[in-house]
Amino acid sequence: MTDVMKKLQAIRGMNDCLPPDSELWEQIENTLKNILATHCYNEIRIPIIETTTLFKRAIGEVTDVVEKEMYTFDDRNSESVTLRPEGTAGCVRAGVEHGLFHNKEQRFWYIGSMFRYERPQKGRYRQFHQLGVEVFGLYGPDIDAELILMTARFWKKLGILNYVQLELNSIGSIEERSRYRESLLKFLEKNKAQLTEEAIHRMHKNSLRLLDSKDQVVQKILADAPLLSEYLNDESKQHFLTLCQFLNESGISYRVNPYLVRGLDYYNKTVFEWVTNHLGSQGAICAGGRYDGLVEQLGGKDSTPAVGFAIGLERLVLLVKKVNPDFYLSPKLDVYFVSENNTSRAKAIKLAEKIRDSLPQLKLKLHYGKQKISKQLSSANKCSATFALILGENEIAKQKIVIKNLLTGEQNLLMQEDLILFLNKIFIE
Ligand code: ATP
Ligand code: MG
């Protein structure tokens, strides 16, 4: 088959979002955005593509994301660029570049596409969407708690709180982890015979990543392994304990999961994940944690503490659809405008503009095309409009217009000049 004849299709793992799904997406996004606004977080918009170095330096060379999932290519000037696989690195880069962190707190959120070359399956795509939050300049567990409480509020508002669980862990500092890594490695070396080649490879390159392995053999071996929590210093322990206290006080339930680590290198101290068992194996809908060293690592002048999370929107939408389908409100049409021929259509278009001027919130749709009035009215019913406006030859001649309540069948004949007043009475007063 020649290229010209090939059927055009979206790239594997990259989805179109079509109505009415796009409406559900919008309703979910607006719910989250409203909560963010009331918590005084500001939107930040950053490029979808950055230099490859940024992600390598931020995420870490020996991570799944950098090793095998990035969309990386040379641009026309032979500079290596990468479609963002996550949003934190870009936020930090932007903050450093524009001096946003000097003695300042920042509370940001972003929303948009991320790209990872993974095997597409339910809840895992190559282009997916995240809503992320990043807070800079605050050291304490209080802000960690605020982020967790805010996510709990998201779930409550979306009606899914009973279907998700919070998992929490502390992964300490880089030094604490490297001491732990040594003893974990020793332990794993002893049990090497039972490990697969893949696990051994990982053990040498990034042994901590083995902790959240889904491999049952690995999980069984790890049950006897030393725990990271035993290697935390007092400060890390205190941070974690205080966070737990804050959450207890606020009545948020959680499970401390000593095996929870994150797939990106920059995290320290608090890490958390919201998981569900209603989506099969892609159960994590939100993941986050603290990353106090990243700003400095990316060239920031002073050390700026930071904490954030990202929600996987595809998984969130799937979950809302599954466990709370009533969340979706199919948008109602207020008025459907029916007109008989071109003369009345011209008048309808003009009147519709007047209505939009006076009642800008009104949802108004005009019928186009040459169908008979009866056919137009059945279109009005099909899109669940509440009222139909009808303009035919007869009405035009007398400068009148019919308004029909499609729910009750009640019909009124009005002077066209009284229409706005009439609509005002129905919809505003
Ligand atoms: P997973 O373990 O599922 O691969 P991850 O640890 O790689 O997730 P993060 O980098 O922490 O994921 O991203 C935060 C959230 O973004 C995840 O919890 C998930 O909801 C979502 N996410 C990550 N990768 C994908 C993907 N390929 N498709 C859809 N959503 C994704
Ligand atoms: Mg992943």
Side-chain angles (χ1 to χ4, degrees):
M1 215 190 308
T2 65
D3 228 23
V4 187
M5 288 161 67
K6 235 194 220 161
K7 201 163 115 201
L8 292 172
Q9 280 184 325
I11 296 172
R12 196 164 118 81
M14 306 206 172
N15 301 311
D16 300 305
C17 179
L18 311 172
D21 246 19
S22 50
E23 284 162 355
L24 171 61
W25 274 75
E26 201 192 353
Q27 286 168 17
I28 291 177
E29 286 171 10
N30 286 342
T31 303
L32 305 184
K33 286 180 193 174
N34 285 336
I35 294 173
L36 285 160
T38 58
H39 286 67
C40 310
Y41 286 63
N42 301 111
E43 185 182 11
I44 180 168
R45 298 190 184 191
I46 47 173
I48 225 165
I49 180 166
E50 302 261 5
T51 58
T52 303
T53 320
L54 170 66
F55 298 114
K56 284 195 176 164
R57 260 168 67 182
I59 297 169
E61 299 261 4
V62 190
T63 53
D64 280 355
V65 174
V66 171
E67 273 190 336
K68 34 188 182 189
E69 296 174 0
M70 293 207 305
Y71 276 87
T72 296
F73 54 95
D74 286 351
D75 71 7
R76 288 172 188 274
N77 200 24
S78 304
E79 186 178 2
S80 180
V81 292
T82 295
L83 294 179
R84 61 182 185 194
E86 53 96 60
T88 306
C91 280
V92 172
R93 196 264 316 130
V96 171
E97 188 171 332
H98 302 289
L100 305 181
F101 302 143
H102 297 307
N103 306 316
K104 259 186 263 162
E105 288 169 22
Q106 299 286 0
R107 291 164 163 83
F108 293 141
W109 63 269
Y110 59 84
I111 191 166
S113 302
M114 306 295 159
F115 301 84
R116 296 185 193 177
Y117 198 84
E118 302 196 66
R119 193 171 68 77
Q121 51 196 294
K122 185 182 161 206
R124 192 178 293 288
Y125 312 99
R126 289 180 174 172
Q127 176 173 4
F128 62 101
H129 298 80
Q130 286 184 338
L131 182 143
V133 166
E134 316 289 352
V135 176
F136 299 94
L138 291 169
Y139 273 104
D142 41 11
I143 187 69
D144 302 7
E146 172 164 306
L147 293 189
I148 289 171
L149 289 170
M150 188 162 67
T151 48
R153 188 170 292 278
F154 290 162
W155 317 144
K156 201 158 120 195
K157 207 69 194 167
L158 296 172
I160 59 169
L161 187 60
N162 291 337
Y163 303 87
V164 291
Q165 294 84 43
L166 174 62
E167 305 221 322
L168 205 59
N169 193 20
S170 175
I171 58 168
S173 64
I174 295 178
E175 301 83 62
E176 289 152 43
R177 279 204 301 281
S178 76
R179 281 199 300 120
Y180 170 65
R181 194 174 286 123
E182 272 173 38
S183 74
L184 180 65
L185 253 178
K186 267 191 208 139
F187 169 86
L188 290 170
E189 283 284 357
K190 272 191 268 163
N191 294 278
K192 209 167 159 181
Q194 297 171 64
L195 292 172
T196 61
E197 221 165 275
E198 161 80 23
I200 293 170
H201 169 77
R202 185 160 274 195
M203 165 182 126
H204 288 297
K205 290 184 86 176
N206 191 349
S207 48
L208 283 188
R209 286 297 287 154
L210 271 184
L211 292 186
D212 73 345
S213 166
K214 302 219 163 65
D215 185 328
Q216 295 209 334
V217 181
V218 175
Q219 281 180 1
K220 203 161 156 245
I221 295 171
L222 284 175
D224 301 319
L227 287 177
L228 177 50
S229 55
E230 293 156 8
Y231 288 76
L232 299 186
N233 66 22
D234 285 346
E235 199 211 325
S236 291
K237 274 189 203 152
Q238 195 51 50
H239 188 105
F240 191 62
L241 277 176
T242 314
L243 169 62
C244 291
Q245 262 166 16
F246 288 151
L247 296 178
N248 295 340
E249 245 347 272
S250 305
I252 291 284
S253 44
Y254 55 88
R255 183 173 84 94
V256 176
N257 174 358
Y259 299 108
L260 182 67
V261 288
R262 308 284 321 119
L264 320 170
D265 273 357
Y266 49 64
Y267 287 103
N268 71 303
K269 289 188 179 149
T270 312
V271 292
F272 66 92
E273 224 169 70
W274 284 95
V275 295
T276 177
N277 44 27
H278 295 266
L279 291 180
S281 47
Q282 269 56 254
I285 61 161
C286 171
R290 193 156 264 290
Y291 51 97
D292 294 331
L294 187 60
V295 172
E296 201 165 14
Q297 196 182 312
L298 294 184
K301 284 207 187 86
D302 353 275
S303 70
T304 301
V307 55
F309 65 79
I311 299 170
L313 290 175
E314 278 76 5
R315 294 183 194 177
L316 183 63
V317 171
L318 282 170
L319 186 61
V320 171
K321 269 186 172 173
K322 177 144 189 225
V323 304
N324 186 20
D326 291 342
F327 177 80
Y328 173 66
L329 292 175
S330 99
K332 286 264 172 295
L333 230 159
D334 295 318
V335 174
Y336 193 94
F337 211 141
V338 168
S339 49
E340 193 172 17
N341 52 28
N342 267 346
T343 324
S344 47
R345 181 85 21 105
K347 191 78 190 168
I349 290 172
K350 193 170 157 198
L351 268 175
E353 284 303 300
K354 258 184 148 174
I355 297 172
R356 294 195 202 282
D357 286 342
S358 313
L359 298 146
Q361 302 299 330
L362 202 82
K363 288 200 170 160
L364 169 66
K365 184 174 180 181
L366 286 95
H367 188 97
Y368 298 129
K370 289 189 177 152
Q371 288 74 16
K372 290 204 177 97
I373 289 207
S374 58
K375 194 84 196 269
Q376 294 191 31
L377 280 171
S378 59
S379 300
N381 279 317
K382 252 193 216 135
C383 50
S384 320
T386 321
F387 288 90
L389 284 172
I390 309 166
L391 259 188
E393 285 286 323
N394 290 343
E395 288 78 26
I396 293 274
K398 298 181 217 144
Q399 298 192 349
K400 296 201 164 172
I401 186 163
V402 173
I403 181 159
K404 180 174 182 182
N405 183 326
L406 294 169
L407 306 178
T408 62
E410 185 191 337
Q411 221 164 283
N412 280 293
L413 186 65
L414 307 178
M415 291 305 292
Q416 284 167 18
E417 60 191 34
D418 297 333
L419 176 63
I420 300 288
L421 208 69
F422 191 87
L423 290 175
N424 236 307
K425 276 217 176 85
I426 299 173
F427 290 103
I428 310 288
E429 286 168 16

